[in-house]
Amino acid sequence: PENTMIDADIFAVLASGGHYVNVHTPATPSGELRGQILTDNFTLVAFPLSGEQEVPAVTTTATGSGYALVDGNDFSLELQVLTSGVADATAAHIHTGMAGENGPVLLALEQDESDVNRWMAPANAALTAEIFALLASGGHYVNVHTPANPGGELRGQIQ
């Protein structure tokens, strides 16, 4: 509303990417649309995960979606992946590699203790400027491993 004021503490949260706009509808009262409020120093990338992106491709009905948020000031990383159809996943990682290439593990993701379909970067995860540059050019992907596909059942190129 007009003349709304915020204090320094609320501004600090806002400037660090800690606020979002949420649009509620009768069909989705908890929020149908969400937009994170970010300052120019943040880079946000959303990406899908599928078996088709695996190298070689994997036939699966499992799917996923993820996002990566990097603060350009200190290269801190927030990354989350939500999956469906891979409740038996044994691990998930960020790997180094361009689309169509397999590569080494950059960072192991942690599985949410209360939701086996949610994986995230460890708290206080950070990149270097060089790793961020490669990430920004599409040089990393998330891979979700299962017993049926230990090399990866779902892959999502972060680009």
Side-chain angles (χ1 to χ4, degrees):
E2 189 174 337
N3 298 321
T4 299
M5 301 291 290
I6 60 174
D7 63 23
D9 292 337
I10 292 174
F11 178 77
V13 174
L14 177 68
S16 69
H19 288 115
Y20 60 92
V21 175
N22 201 6
V23 178
H24 305 266
T25 64
T28 312
S30 63
E32 187 161 332
L33 298 172
R34 175 180 167 149
Q36 204 71 27
I37 301 170
L38 301 172
T39 55
D40 290 343
N41 58 301
F42 283 94
T43 301
L44 175 65
V45 178
F47 53 93
L49 288 88
S50 68
E52 293 172 345
Q53 293 185 63
E54 286 290 343
V55 179
V58 172
T59 301
T60 181
T61 58
T63 61
S65 62
Y67 74 87
L69 177 66
V70 179
D71 182 338
N73 291 334
D74 62 5
F75 300 105
S76 59
L77 170 69
E78 177 183 323
L79 182 138
Q80 289 193 34
V81 172
L82 294 174
T83 61
S84 176
V86 286
D88 63 342
T90 55
H93 306 100
I94 300 172
H95 290 257
T96 301
M98 300 301 278
E101 299 175 355
N102 289 322
V105 171
L106 173 69
L107 181 68
L109 300 180
E110 298 176 345
Q111 190 173 35
D112 187 323
E113 292 179 11
S114 61
D115 183 354
V116 297
N117 294 307
R118 183 173 173 243
W119 297 83
M120 64 213 101
N124 302 316
L127 308 174
T128 65
E130 294 79 21
I131 292 173
F132 174 70
L134 184 57
L135 179 92
S137 71
H140 291 95
Y141 62 94
V142 170
N143 209 12
V144 179
H145 307 268
T146 63
N149 292 287
E153 184 158 338
L154 290 176
R155 175 178 170 149
Q157 200 71 31
I158 306 169
Q159 52 187 356

